[in-house]
């Protein structure tokens, strides 16, 4: 097997035997190995797989027991599926950095768009902070970030756009810099209405014990519609003349309800 960077060598070529189990293939792709097991997976994050793996919506009837113990976020249910079977699947998200993390009898709150997958030994709950999810228990999860993640210890104030999540510490509070708001830049924004809130003006403040996860960028990962067919030529159901192309953006229901919704063209 050859890799980039070796003189005269081509790209690395993987097969089921050489893909690393439950590890990064490169900084942007993670390989999950299933051995008759299950993983929760955000829609649109699986790019390929080997083996016999089934994907079912969170609302699928026979998964009720699993969902009852491990998934407690109705607001996000339509964005997630359960992968089960035997094989290896590759996860990625638009060439963002992807890494796995282990929780041991802990709790971690993470921005919902950054969480790609997690083991059912963890319990997912809806955070009281809008746009975030909380994982509780012991297990592995996979997350994406816009740049490498750095781990910081409170007390600390962080730019909200750089925040990925926090572990084993209280939820943050808002902090506004009075000097910046009343200074020249704040005055210009108040008079003209131009410009948005910056990290110098508004931060999330963390106190107490725990760990804060930051991405190495002040640019949030752009929201990406999940479970939708992209309107691109060559994509089944996504061409300009496709009967689905003119449909309104009605959110797809999870599981069997979603299958009925699609079948009747809703």
């Amino acid at each position: 097997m050859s890799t980039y960077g070796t003189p005269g060598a081509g790209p690395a070529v993987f097969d089921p035997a050489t893909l690393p189990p439950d590890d990064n293939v490169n900084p942007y792709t993670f390989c999950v190995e299933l051995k008759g097991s299950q993983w929760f997976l955000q829609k649109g994050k699986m790019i390929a797989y080997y083996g016999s793996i089934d994907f079912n919506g969170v609302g699928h009837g026979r998964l009720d027991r699993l969902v009852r113990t491990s998934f407690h976020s109705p607001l996000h249910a339509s964005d997630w599926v359960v992968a089960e079977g035997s094989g290896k699947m590759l996860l990625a998200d638009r060439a963002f950095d992807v890494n796995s993390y282990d929780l041991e009898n802990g709790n971690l709150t993470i921005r919902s768009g950054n969480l790609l997958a997690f083991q059912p030994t963890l319990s997912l709950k809806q955070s009281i902070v809008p746009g975030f999810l909380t994982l509780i228990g012991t297990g592995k999860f996979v997350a994406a970030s816009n740049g490498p993640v750095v781990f910081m210890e409170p007390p600390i104030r962080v730019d909200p756009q750089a925040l990925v999540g926090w572990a084993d510490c209280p939820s943050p509070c808002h902090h506004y810099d009075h000097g910046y708001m009343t200074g020249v830049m704040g005055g210009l924004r108040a008079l003209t209405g131009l410009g948005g809130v910056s990290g110098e003006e508004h931060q999330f403040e963390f106190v107490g014990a725990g760990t804060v996860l930051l991405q190495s960028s002040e640019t949030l990962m752009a929201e990406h519609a999940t479970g939708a067919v992209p309107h691109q030529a060559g994509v089944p159901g996504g061409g300009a003349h496709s009967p689905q192309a003119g449909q309104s953006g009605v959110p797809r229901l999870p599981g069997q309800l979603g299958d009925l919704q699609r079948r009747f063209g809703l």
Side-chain angles (χ1 to χ4, degrees):
M1 183 176 66
S2 59
T3 59
Y4 278 116
T6 304
V13 179
F14 294 94
D15 59 32
T18 57
L19 275 174
D22 297 331
D23 201 355
N24 278 81
V25 180
N26 58 41
Y28 319 107
T29 309
F30 188 87
C31 177
V32 171
E33 183 174 28
L34 295 175
K35 296 180 178 179
S37 52
Q38 299 169 314
W39 271 68
F40 282 95
L41 173 67
Q42 189 181 154
K43 288 181 181 178
K45 309 309 180 186
M46 187 279 297
I47 60 172
Y49 70 89
Y50 284 110
S52 178
I53 301 176
D54 294 325
F55 302 91
N56 292 293
V58 166
H60 197 269
R62 67 185 184 84
L63 298 176
D64 280 350
R65 183 176 179 182
L66 176 69
V67 172
R68 191 180 302 118
T69 58
S70 301
F71 198 98
H72 307 279
S73 179
L75 182 64
H76 298 274
S78 62
D79 296 333
W80 287 81
V81 297
V82 176
E84 57 183 336
S86 298
K88 291 182 177 180
M89 62 179 180
L90 300 178
L91 309 181
D93 188 5
R94 295 164 287 167
F96 287 113
D97 287 64
V98 175
N99 286 287
S100 68
Y101 306 87
D102 293 295
L103 276 182
E104 185 173 349
N105 292 324
N107 71 82
L108 177 134
T109 300
I110 184 171
R111 198 178 294 275
S112 59
N114 291 68
L115 181 62
L116 304 189
F118 65 95
Q119 291 179 320
T121 53
L122 292 168
S123 178
L124 180 139
K125 298 181 182 293
Q126 206 163 293
S127 172
I128 61 172
V129 181
F132 286 82
L133 296 168
T134 298
L135 292 170
I136 298 175
T138 298
K140 186 185 295 289
F141 68 94
V142 180
S145 60
N146 192 354
V149 171
V150 293
F151 302 87
M152 309 300 294
E153 183 177 308
I156 189 173
R157 294 171 182 164
V158 305
D159 186 322
Q161 293 183 312
L163 179 64
V164 174
W166 59 93
D168 301 321
C169 60
S171 297
C173 58
H174 295 280
H175 175 81
Y176 292 91
D177 190 291
H178 179 74
Y180 187 89
M181 292 173 65
T182 57
V184 175
M185 295 302 295
L188 288 174
R189 191 165 70 84
L191 289 172
T192 64
L194 299 176
V197 177
S198 70
E200 289 75 24
E201 178 178 332
H202 169 227
Q203 305 96 37
F204 282 160
E205 182 172 12
F206 291 88
V207 296
T211 305
V212 180
L213 286 69
L214 305 177
Q215 64 182 15
S216 304
S217 170
E218 290 185 348
T219 303
L220 285 176
M221 293 171 52
E223 292 294 331
H224 183 66
T226 58
V229 177
H231 298 309
Q232 299 174 359
V235 177
H241 301 290
S242 166
Q244 295 182 3
Q247 292 179 2
S248 61
V250 178
R252 188 173 185 272
L253 297 173
Q256 294 173 328
L257 292 177
D259 293 336
L260 289 173
Q261 184 183 29
R262 175 173 52 81
R263 186 174 301 172
F264 287 101
L266 300 177

